[in-house]
Amino acid sequence: KLIERLAMAAPDSRLEIIAQEGDQIDEEFFQLMSRLIQLTMGQGDEEGARKLIELQKLLVENTKVGKDLEEKTKEIDAAIKSLQEASKDGLTREKLLNLIIEAKTDTRLAMLVNLARQGFDYTFFEILTNRINESSGEQQKRLSEIRDKILTMTREIDQAIQAEMDRARSLLQKIISSSNIEEEARQKLDQVSDYFVEVLKAEVEAARKSGDLARLGKLQQVSSVIQDATAPPPEIQLIEEMLSIEDDKGIQEFLSENEQEITPEFLQILNNVMQQSEQQGQSKELVGRLQKIYRLALKHSMRVNLSK
């Protein structure tokens, strides 16, 4: 309701509303705004999305939570960028250690630990401990503090992952114990996570190895429901197929073969995918291919309509 009120308010009265309703503007509020923007863009409402983005910018600039989130986002982006740069020629533990030491904030440090958790193993801590022993004074103190922080962060990550895996196993067992496994799986789809899928795959493999065909059959029923639910829409499948075609002639032939599927709705979805790829900073090659496919699909649609 607050977002709707702000969106409909006159521009010169929005700051007053923001000041009055400041206690409602928290991280959850900004997450909701981001989801609304994505939903609006996905529906093809470019004007509505633009207005929401402008409102979001105003809120970021004029609230403490917004400014904090903006700074946090910058640090997260910096962590991702630095890790990508270091990974170009292969990410070593020494490179990872240097990134950790160079991290200016705990936010960046935490992001690096989350992104590269597997790199923080016994050997990494052995290298870090050697670096601590070779240093002295303030540098030694700082490196020791970094080690303590990383140990705490990795322990918390591992505990959180274990908790998620335990919940996933419990959910899976509940589903396959049901009298109607497929219906139970469909009802629990909103609880399915990457951890659940990982547990399901491991259980399928274990059932195969042990020859437990009864359990395997139940697990495969669950897997089938998830595969059906996560399959991309037909329009996205068409776009993916065209992206795999190298030349214009091949794309044109594909369009002719799938003429009935090239509807105004398909063109709108294709246009949305193209614009989202541009806004999300996808590779120039991908954006260029999507633009080419859109132009060819649009020309094909116009040609077909004119011939009717």
Side-chain angles (χ1 to χ4, degrees), residues 141-300:
K141 180 183 177 182
R142 181 171 178 270
L143 290 174
S144 296
E145 289 174 351
I146 289 174
R147 180 177 61 184
D148 292 342
K149 287 180 181 179
I150 297 173
L151 284 168
T152 299
M153 289 174 182
T154 53
R155 183 166 56 249
E156 289 174 350
I157 291 170
D158 293 345
Q159 288 173 350
I161 290 174
Q162 187 57 52
E164 289 292 338
M165 296 291 278
D166 290 343
R167 277 194 286 271
R169 288 191 186 92
S170 176
L171 176 61
L172 178 59
Q173 187 58 42
K174 182 178 180 180
I175 291 172
I176 64 174
S177 299
S178 171
S179 58
N180 189 332
I181 293 174
E182 292 187 1
E183 180 59 30
E184 184 72 15
R186 279 190 285 270
Q187 291 180 5
K188 297 292 189 296
L189 278 172
D190 61 334
Q191 299 178 45
V192 170
S193 63
D194 290 341
Y195 298 105
F196 182 89
V197 174
E198 188 176 338
V199 167
L200 178 57
K201 287 179 179 178
E203 290 294 326
V204 167
E205 185 62 26
R208 280 180 179 149
K209 286 183 178 179
S210 65
D212 190 342
L213 298 182
R215 183 174 178 82
L216 179 60
K218 293 178 179 180
L219 293 168
Q220 287 177 332
Q221 286 184 64
V222 179
S223 181
S224 178
V225 171
I226 293 174
Q227 287 175 0
D228 290 343
T230 56
E235 294 85 357
I236 299 299
Q237 288 182 325
L238 281 176
I239 294 170
E240 289 177 348
E241 286 183 54
M242 281 191 279
L243 282 170
S244 66
I245 301 173
E246 296 295 332
D247 56 275
D248 291 6
K249 184 179 178 182
I251 294 173
Q252 289 167 345
E253 290 175 353
F254 182 88
L255 289 167
S256 297
E257 293 168 1
N258 296 272
E259 200 166 89
Q260 293 184 341
E261 308 300 327
I262 312 305
T263 62
E265 291 76 19
F266 170 80
L267 291 172
Q268 182 62 59
I269 291 172
L270 176 54
N271 185 44
N272 291 340
V273 170
M274 180 180 68
Q275 291 185 8
Q276 287 178 21
S277 297
E278 292 174 349
Q279 292 164 354
Q280 293 170 1
Q282 299 284 348
S283 69
K284 291 182 179 179
E285 181 184 358
L286 174 61
V287 173
R289 288 182 63 78
L290 285 169
Q291 289 172 339
K292 179 189 290 185
I293 290 170
Y294 179 71
R295 287 195 299 270
L296 291 172
L298 190 60
K299 286 181 181 178
H300 179 84

Side-chain angles (χ1 to χ4, degrees), residues 37 40-41 45-57 279:
I37 290 169
T40 306
M41 289 175 63
D45 184 0
E46 296 179 19
E47 179 64 18
R50 184 185 63 77
K51 289 180 179 178
L52 284 173
I53 291 170
E54 289 176 355
L55 176 57
Q56 185 183 54
K57 186 173 183 292
Q279 292 164 354

Side-chain angles (χ1 to χ4, degrees), residues 73-83 108 112:
T73 300
K74 287 179 181 178
E75 284 297 297
I76 290 172
D77 289 343
I80 293 171
K81 185 177 180 180
S82 65
L83 199 56
R108 190 180 302 192
L112 288 169

Side-chain angles (χ1 to χ4, degrees), residues 18 25 30 59-70:
I18 291 170
I25 302 172
F30 278 98
L59 286 158
V60 166
E61 293 173 348
N62 292 278
T63 62
K64 184 180 184 303
V65 174
K67 291 175 182 176
D68 289 345
L69 283 173
E70 184 177 37

